[in-house]
Amino acid sequence: MKAQFFLLALPLALGVSTREADASMYPPSYPTCGIVDTVSTGPFEIIRNSVDLYDAHALLTIAYRGYLRDMYPDDEINIYVQLNGNDAFLPASAGTNGDAYVMLDSGPRSCVWCSNGGYGGYSVCDGLTFPPYSSGQWVCGDMTPTEEHLFYWAFNEYGAQNAWDIQVAAESHGSWDSNWGWNHYARLEPRLTCSY
C-alpha cells in the first residue's frame, strides 16, 4: 500500500498531474473553446483566452507598450498584476508585437501521453501505475504557486469564469508606469459561451 501511495504521490510532488485518457484522446490542455477577449487600459492590453469554459482553464496575457520600454530592455521590466484581489509582481519577457508581456495559465500544460506499454520515452512516465485495462494516461504540468494565487478568485466552485477585475502597472529600475499610483484598471465579464 505504501509503494502504491508513493507512486501516485510522485507526479504531484514533481509538479505534474496525471489524468486518465478518455475516448477523445485529446490532452487535457487541448483548447475546447479558444475564444479570446481583449481590453485595453492605458499602455496595457489584457488578453484572456478561454481554453475550456467548464474546467477553469484560461490563459491571461498582459502586454505592456508604455514609455518604460523606451528606457529599459523588455526583460528588465516587471509587471504588477492584480486579479480579483490577489496580486503578483512578475518579470516580463520581450514580445514579438512591440511589447513586454507576461502570460499566465490556469490549467494543465506540456501534456505528454504515457502509454501502458511503455512506449513514448518520456521520463515523466517512469514509474507510473496504470489502472487495469487502461491504454495509458496523460501527464501534464500544473500551475505554478504564483498562478494558483492569482487565479484563486477567477473561477467559481464549478470551474466557470467569474468576472475578472484586473489592475496592472509596470516597473523597471525604480521607475513606474502606474497611472500615478492608481494602477490601470480593466474588467473582463465572465465568458459563458464559446461563441461571439
Side-chain angles (χ1 to χ4, degrees):
M1 180 68 174
K2 288 182 183 178
Q4 184 181 15
F5 176 75
F6 174 76
L7 289 175
L8 290 173
L10 181 61
L12 295 174
L14 296 175
V16 296
S17 62
T18 59
R19 297 178 188 229
E20 290 184 38
D22 55 21
S24 70
M25 289 299 291
Y26 289 111
S29 59
Y30 184 81
T32 59
C33 186
I35 296 293
V36 176
D37 298 298
T38 62
V39 63
S40 295
T41 178
F44 293 91
E45 183 178 16
I46 298 169
I47 306 160
R48 178 181 62 199
N49 182 341
S50 299
V51 178
D52 187 339
L53 284 184
Y54 310 105
D55 200 20
H57 191 183
L59 303 175
L60 175 63
T61 303
I62 310 294
Y64 172 68
R65 297 182 182 96
Y67 66 85
L68 291 178
R69 295 188 64 247
D70 297 331
M71 301 164 54
Y72 305 104
D74 290 340
D75 62 357
E76 292 180 17
I77 294 174
N78 301 296
I79 297 179
Y80 170 81
V81 181
Q82 183 186 90
L83 173 57
N84 290 354
N86 286 6
D87 61 355
F89 198 58
L90 306 165
S93 298
T96 58
N97 297 308
D99 56 20
Y101 77 98
V102 295
M103 188 180 85
L104 302 153
D105 189 340
S106 71
R109 76 282 318 262
S110 305
C111 298
V112 297
W113 175 253
C114 295
S115 173
N116 196 353
Y119 309 108
Y122 300 106
S123 61
V124 294
C125 300
D126 295 344
L128 286 179
T129 302
F130 298 93
Y133 312 110
S134 169
S135 62
Q137 62 190 24
W138 290 102
V139 177
C140 303
D142 286 328
M143 284 189 282
T144 66
T146 300
E147 289 170 326
E148 282 187 52
H149 173 71
L150 276 172
F151 284 112
Y152 188 80
W153 299 108
F155 304 93
N156 67 25
E157 64 270 21
Y158 304 109
Q161 290 178 6
N162 291 324
W164 291 12
D165 290 305
I166 299 172
Q167 292 186 38
V168 289
E171 180 277 338
S172 187
H173 299 273
S175 297
W176 284 86
D177 189 346
S178 63
N179 193 24
W180 305 102
W182 291 97
N183 297 332
H184 297 276
Y185 170 81
R187 181 179 176 95
L188 290 166
E189 295 299 332
R191 169 129 323 257
L192 303 175
T193 179
C194 286
S195 62
Y196 284 103

